[in-house]
Amino acid sequence: PFSGVMQTNRWASFKRHQGLQCLHIMVRQGGDIVGGAYFYSSRTRKGPSILVAPEGPVLPFDNLALAEQILEKMLLECERLSRSLGIMAVRMEPRLPEPGPAFMSQFARSP
């Protein structure tokens, strides 16, 4: 309920055909997938780019402590990847009703 079609393998395939770079970050716990996101970035632009996770990340928002831990791991991976890919920012667009979990308030909200 907190995500949509833009976080699916099919959408990632479509975006690859459009020329976007697709990065899939997945977090496992005990062999189970507990969270993740597809991030998209343009390869053709000159200069720094951004990673965008439309309708993501996919997190277990029904368990806020776990969701916060997973998000932290995902952001560390984004930071690691950003150095090699020339990424200057990360944009996440989870499907959450206002006001959202407290840990998400650390991020600026787009108008």
Side-chain angles (χ1 to χ4, degrees):
F2 307 114
S3 187
V5 70
M6 290 187 253
Q7 285 296 311
T8 64
N9 291 333
R10 185 170 291 227
W11 188 258
S13 177
F14 172 68
K15 293 314 241 177
R16 277 188 202 98
H17 282 55
Q18 287 185 323
L20 295 182
Q21 185 171 16
C22 301
L23 303 169
H24 186 204
I25 297 175
M26 181 182 355
V27 178
R28 292 179 183 263
Q29 185 178 58
D32 295 327
I33 299 171
V34 292
Y38 271 110
F39 289 90
Y40 304 96
S41 179
S42 173
R43 288 187 222 173
T44 58
R45 300 185 67 143
K46 294 182 180 179
S49 187
I50 64 171
L51 288 177
V52 180
E55 299 183 333
V58 180
L59 298 172
F61 287 108
D62 54 344
N63 181 340
L64 293 179
L66 181 58
E68 185 173 12
Q69 291 173 3
I70 294 167
L71 180 61
E72 185 62 33
K73 289 179 188 219
M74 290 175 60
L75 289 173
L76 287 172
E77 184 63 9
C78 285
E79 185 177 334
R80 187 187 71 76
L81 291 169
S82 68
R83 293 184 190 112
S84 62
L85 298 175
I87 302 298
M88 68 174 191
V90 175
R91 179 181 173 120
M92 296 177 291
E93 303 169 345
R95 282 183 167 181
L96 294 172
E98 296 273 346
F103 71 87
M104 294 295 284
S105 67
Q106 66 182 308
F107 302 102
R109 188 164 187 89
S110 295

